Amino acid sequence: MAEKKYEITYAAITDKGERTNNEDYLGVREDNTGVLCVLCDGLGGHGKGEVASRFVVEEMIESVCNKGVNIEHAIVSTQENLLKKQERENAQSSMKTTLTCLYIEQEDASYYHVGDSRVYHFESGKVKDRTLDHSIPQLLAARGDIKESEIRHHPDRSRLLRVVGTPWDSPKYSVSKKIKIGKKTTFLMCSDGFWELIDEKTMCKLLKKSATPAEWLEEMRKIVLENGRGTNMDNYSAIAVFIR
């Protein structure tokens, strides 16, 4: 096996915030072929969101890492298996979740999402790209009706256009272009309970000061808690990945 050019390190956090239970779920699996990160945010308003998020994370890791399934095929099969689970448990109106995946293999990375949990791609401490939410406010921003900065506090920010657990007439996930990673590449995956309470400028400022993914997440968590305290703060979760 060729010697790795880069060191990949990662850290994760998840917390119920000021809610009674945590409907976010995440997982990271690293092996000799690559690193797979998966983060989901169960839809609490539909019931059994915590069941959906855990099911989807575990299905994705099982399919990709244990069975060697292509990620896009794994997303489709996971969606189908969640619908079957809904039917078995007579829960067709519940068990819905967002989905984000990041896969790093050798010198390439790609990411996938459904819903409004996000993946941010940073280079040299600056935001290079992020996923676009499958939500009403993101649609309004794309049309020019609101500014990007207004998405965070828009009254319809929880209205999603795509989720895992609702029947699809065609694949509803979005996929990034393949990214060539370098020694200053960083990724952040996070649920809306996290990104709504910290802006990209602050993410970058804290990233430049942080030596490790765990340190970066902890510094961002302080901001999230400060901005969310006393607001019936949502569950929040994040995975940070450094390539150095």
Side-chain angles (χ1 to χ4, degrees), residues 64-84:
V64 175
C65 299
N66 295 346
K67 297 180 179 178
V69 177
N70 168 280
I71 291 186
E72 294 190 52
H73 292 161
I75 293 172
V76 172
S77 65
T78 295
Q79 154 76 354
E80 291 171 351
N81 289 340
L82 182 58
L83 294 178
K84 290 175 183 176

Side-chain angles (χ1 to χ4, degrees), residues 1 3 5 47 53 63 102 114 116 151 173 175 204 206 236:
M1 183 182 296
E3 184 180 350
K5 293 184 178 180
S53 60
S63 294
L102 168 68
V114 184
D116 67 346
I151 290 175
Y173 59 85
V175 56
C204 293
L206 296 175
Y236 63 88

Side-chain angles (χ1 to χ4, degrees), residues 3-218:
E3 184 180 350
K4 291 183 179 179
K5 293 184 178 180
Y6 312 110
E7 180 184 12
I8 300 173
T9 56
Y10 50 83
I13 58 171
T14 185
D15 194 275
K16 68 179 182 179
E18 295 177 341
R19 305 296 173 87
T20 56
N21 65 321
N22 189 355
E23 295 183 299
D24 291 357
Y25 200 80
L26 52 80
V28 180
R29 176 70 66 86
E30 181 177 9
D31 58 27
N32 59 4
T33 62
V35 179
L36 174 68
C37 305
V38 189
L39 183 150
C40 293
D41 176 2
L43 275 62
H46 292 266
K48 297 189 177 181
E50 72 281 2
V51 175
S53 60
R54 180 167 185 160
F55 179 86
V56 169
V57 170
E58 292 178 348
E59 280 277 309
M60 287 297 301
I61 291 175
E62 171 69 17
S63 294
V64 175
C65 299
N66 295 346
K67 297 180 179 178
V69 177
N70 168 280
I71 291 186
E72 294 190 52
H73 292 161
I75 293 172
V76 172
S77 65
T78 295
Q79 154 76 354
E80 291 171 351
N81 289 340
L82 182 58
L83 294 178
K84 290 175 183 176
K85 181 176 176 64
Q86 292 174 354
E87 188 172 353
R88 286 195 306 271
E89 300 182 20
N90 194 25
Q92 287 89 339
S93 62
S94 61
M95 287 190 202
K96 304 179 191 304
T97 184
T98 69
L99 167 64
T100 53
C101 303
L102 168 68
Y103 190 55
I104 302 171
E105 184 178 24
Q106 297 179 350
E107 297 178 30
D108 295 321
S110 52
Y111 47 86
Y112 312 74
H113 82 289
V114 184
D116 67 346
S117 295
R118 291 182 175 180
V119 182
Y120 287 90
H121 169 205
F122 300 81
E123 290 292 344
S124 301
K126 298 179 180 179
V127 177
K128 185 168 179 75
D129 195 18
R130 78 158 172 88
T131 53
L132 297 179
D133 311 327
H134 298 137
S135 69
I136 294 294
Q138 185 73 71
L139 180 63
L140 294 175
R143 293 194 325 203
D145 295 337
I146 65 172
K147 297 178 181 178
E148 280 278 331
S149 60
E150 295 179 275
I151 290 175
R152 277 181 168 84
H153 306 293
H154 195 276
D156 289 330
R157 64 186 178 278
S158 297
R159 291 183 61 191
L160 303 185
L161 301 173
R162 304 181 190 180
V163 296
V164 181
T166 295
W168 299 346
D169 53 6
S170 61
K172 297 298 184 184
Y173 59 85
S174 296
V175 56
S176 71
K177 294 180 181 178
K178 192 164 283 189
I179 299 159
K180 286 291 182 184
I181 61 174
K183 288 191 174 181
K184 295 183 180 180
T185 302
T186 303
F187 294 101
L188 175 67
M189 306 169 67
C190 49
S191 60
D192 64 334
F194 190 91
W195 63 256
E196 282 182 357
L197 295 172
I198 182 168
D199 60 28
E200 288 79 6
K201 183 178 180 180
T202 305
M203 291 177 186
C204 293
K205 178 182 177 182
L206 296 175
L207 173 58
K208 291 174 182 177
K209 295 179 178 180
S210 301
T212 67
E215 181 183 343
W216 186 37
L217 284 184
E218 190 53 40

